[in-house]
Each structure stands twice: as structure tokens, then as C-alpha cells.
Amino acid sequence: MLRKMGEAVARVARKVNETVESGSGTPDLAECKLVSFPIGIYKVLRNVTDQIHLITLANNELKSLTSKFMTTFCQLRELRLEGNFLHRLPNEVSTLQHLKAIDLSRNQFHDFPEQLTTLPALENINLEENEIVDVPVEKLAAMPALHLINLRFNPLHAEVRVIAQPLIKFDMLMSPEGARPPPP
């Protein structure tokens, strides 16, 4: 177990160093078997957090993100968290005032992460393949920049399907009722 964790940390360190050296501002920590965001990364990236506009943490084993993560990387434009075990977001997600896109597909959300409705720049929300039954349609309708929300393969209430259409001015992707995602 400890060796496995050491390997994950080494992989992350390598990827973070590449980010810092290249000055790319897009740490890609996908498929690092992370169960949490490594605290040490904050130190390594502290001088470049302003330039980081995209973080990819896809296909890890994350169960949660901390408020420190949100407040440290408040310049993010895109956050890719698909394929984890997340079921909620910290309230500090509201500090991501520049966020345009968030991918939370293939996680374990039962409740729609309502903090997202407070983000003025958010254009694209992907919540495909979660367990969401209810959606705050009125709050979503009030979001100024929202273009697309993907809710395919969620067990949505029938009311959501009915209420949403007349209220919204963005694309809302939904699967036919009872549709199952294709096997991985």
C-alpha cells in the first residue's frame, strides 16, 4: 500500500515538475491513482498558480477536493475531474470566478453541485454518468454564460425533463428515460 502511494507521489511530482519547467500552466495529473490532491504540490506550484488555467485530475480515485485546492487555483478556466469518486464539491468552488468548463462526468454525485450556479463565467458543465435525480433548473436558467449542461445517464426525475425545456436558453443533454451507459 505504502509503495503504491509512493509511486503515485513520484508520478505526480514528475508531472508537476514538467508543468513548472515548461511554464505550460496546465498540470495534467490524470491517471495517477490519487486518492487526494497531494499537499506538497501547493508548495511546488505556489509561484505559478496565477498562470494555471487548466488542471486535469481525470481517472483518479479522488473522493473529495479541499477548499484549499479551490482557493489556491482560483484562476482556473477549466477543471477536469471525470472518472473519480467525487460526490460533492467544497463551497469554495465559488472562488473560481473565471471557470468556464468543469467535467464531473463518471463520478458519484447524487445531488447537483449547486455551488456551480454561482459561477459567472461557467459555460459548460458535464455531469454525465452520475446519480443525479434533481436539477436546480431555475438557478441554472439564471446563469449568464451557461451554454451546455450534460446530464446524460443520470436517473433524472421526469419533472426535470418537463420543467427545463421552457425555462432554459442553453443546451441540456439528457438520455432517454431508463437509458444505461455503454459498458466501459
Side-chain angles (χ1 to χ4, degrees):
M1 171 83 180
L2 211 58
R3 199 180 89 230
K4 204 170 139 184
M5 201 163 148
E7 287 170 12
V9 169
R11 236 188 332 271
V12 166
R14 233 183 357 264
K15 288 186 170 194
V16 168
N17 285 336
E18 286 166 15
T19 301
V20 173
E21 283 164 19
S22 68
S24 75
T26 55
D28 181 350
L29 303 179
E31 297 174 29
C32 286
K33 296 190 167 60
L34 295 175
V35 287
S36 64
F37 190 78
I39 305 288
I41 291 184
Y42 295 119
K43 290 187 182 72
V44 179
L45 293 178
R46 70 171 171 263
N47 299 325
V48 292
T49 53
D50 292 353
Q51 292 130 45
I52 293 177
H53 294 153
L54 161 66
I55 292 183
T56 300
L57 287 161
N59 305 316
N60 279 293
E61 296 165 25
L62 298 173
K63 292 187 174 66
S64 64
L65 282 174
T66 61
S67 45
K68 182 180 172 96
F69 177 87
M70 298 299 168
T71 52
T72 301
F73 299 110
C74 58
Q75 294 300 317
L76 282 178
R77 308 267 190 278
E78 189 176 347
L79 184 53
R80 305 210 36 214
L81 295 164
E82 67 270 24
N84 279 288
F85 301 114
L86 299 170
H87 56 94
R88 61 186 178 76
L89 293 173
N91 289 332
E92 289 75 7
V93 101
S94 61
T95 60
L96 302 180
Q97 294 291 300
H98 306 284
L99 195 70
K100 289 182 181 298
I102 188 164
D103 190 341
L104 296 165
S105 60
R106 299 190 328 279
N107 272 286
Q108 296 179 350
F109 285 91
H110 288 268
D111 299 311
F112 187 93
E114 289 206 22
Q115 306 96 314
L116 295 178
T117 62
T118 65
L119 301 180
L122 198 56
E123 297 172 358
N124 193 321
I125 303 171
N126 188 349
L127 280 159
E128 186 170 349
E129 281 188 59
N130 277 280
E131 297 297 320
I132 296 168
V133 289
D134 204 7
V135 179
V137 175
E138 290 85 358
K139 288 183 180 178
L140 289 170
M143 291 176 71
L146 193 62
H147 289 305
L148 173 71
I149 179 164
N150 182 349
L151 290 163
R152 286 191 292 222
F153 305 117
N154 278 285
L156 297 169
H157 276 315
E159 299 91 271
V160 172
R161 298 166 185 281
V162 179
I163 297 169
Q165 292 331 47
L167 279 178
I168 59 176
K169 55 190 179 304
F170 52 84
D171 292 322
M172 191 169 188
L173 306 179
M174 297 184 270
S175 302
E177 243 170 311
R180 292 267 163 265

